[in-house]
Amino acid sequence: MDDTYKTISGISESVFTEKRSKFIAIAIPVRSVAEIKNLLEQYQKKYYDARHVCYAYMLGPERKDFRANDNGEPSGTAGKPILGQINSHELTDVLVIVVRYFGGIKLGTSGLIVAYRTAASQALAEATVIEKTVDDEVTVAFEYPFMNDVMRIVKEESPEIMEQSYNMDCIMTLRIRKSQMPRLRSRLEKVETLRFPEDTSV
């Protein structure tokens, strides 16, 4: 599995006008469905006078958690074209909202699809795309005399130390790029007294 994914670094906006209908597109980096719900509420309040506030989002490195919403537009004319643009830019952890102010002239289904697709595409084109790594975490426990052995592995493999505590047992939570985790784990397993107390990978 590829352990990198593409997302955007910050919010970007663009405005597109078609036959007097105004489309305001906003692309926002997101991490969870709860965050998306909050954002949608905020934008629906902000653009309370708009005819439609349509959106699509994609979450997670595997890009399996996604949704498209037409918000009253004919089925498949708004959310799907927005989601299509997120897909064609190969992005995830992103929400694209397109607000439509109706200009009095109907666009028809094909016109709507093109308009929503163009608006979403423009907002994503304005965004700065960044690449992130898919990381895994592991928690290890070991006796204090073996601290040097563990720290030597940590120094050589350079995972990020998320938390550590030194009581009777030393406990450390490490985060590292997914593809490097098997090597880190196999090296740690060789340290005397070391165990994985919260092993969720089994």
Side-chain angles (χ1 to χ4, degrees), residues 138-154 159 165-166 168-174 181-199:
V138 64
T139 299
V140 294
F142 51 92
E143 289 172 17
Y144 192 79
F146 299 96
M147 168 67 83
N148 282 346
D149 296 352
V150 172
M151 289 316 290
R152 184 167 61 246
I153 295 169
V154 167
S165 63
Y166 310 114
M168 292 292 286
D169 252 0
C170 300
I171 294 177
M172 200 178 278
T173 299
L174 305 171
M181 180 60 87
R183 189 175 66 193
L184 176 66
R185 282 181 71 104
S186 71
R187 289 195 65 186
L188 288 167
E189 277 164 6
K190 295 183 177 81
V191 176
E192 275 187 74
T193 76
L194 185 137
R195 63 190 197 284
F196 301 99
E198 294 170 21
D199 205 332

Side-chain angles (χ1 to χ4, degrees), residues 40-144:
L40 288 170
E41 276 176 26
Q42 284 173 36
Y43 279 94
Q44 277 157 352
K45 275 182 190 151
K46 183 177 176 181
Y47 295 105
Y48 69 91
D49 57 340
R51 178 70 69 93
H52 304 282
V53 180
C54 308
Y55 67 89
Y57 66 76
M58 177 76 71
L59 282 174
E62 287 90 24
R63 304 176 73 240
K64 286 181 183 155
D65 190 0
F66 56 87
R67 185 155 178 222
N69 186 298
D70 296 312
N71 190 235
E73 292 282 30
S75 180
T77 60
K80 247 190 188 150
I82 299 170
L83 185 63
Q85 286 308 302
I86 296 173
N87 272 325
S88 68
H89 285 78
E90 297 178 345
L91 297 170
T92 190
D93 286 357
V94 66
L95 164 69
V96 178
I97 298 169
V98 180
V99 179
R100 180 189 181 194
Y101 284 94
F102 184 54
I105 301 169
K106 291 194 170 177
L107 301 183
T109 50
S110 58
L112 283 172
I113 290 166
V114 170
Y116 279 102
R117 186 170 63 212
T118 305
S121 176
Q122 284 182 0
L124 291 169
E126 293 286 324
T128 303
V129 174
I130 52 171
E131 192 166 78
K132 289 190 170 184
T133 57
V134 182
D135 297 331
D136 264 355
E137 283 186 14
V138 64
T139 299
V140 294
F142 51 92
E143 289 172 17
Y144 192 79

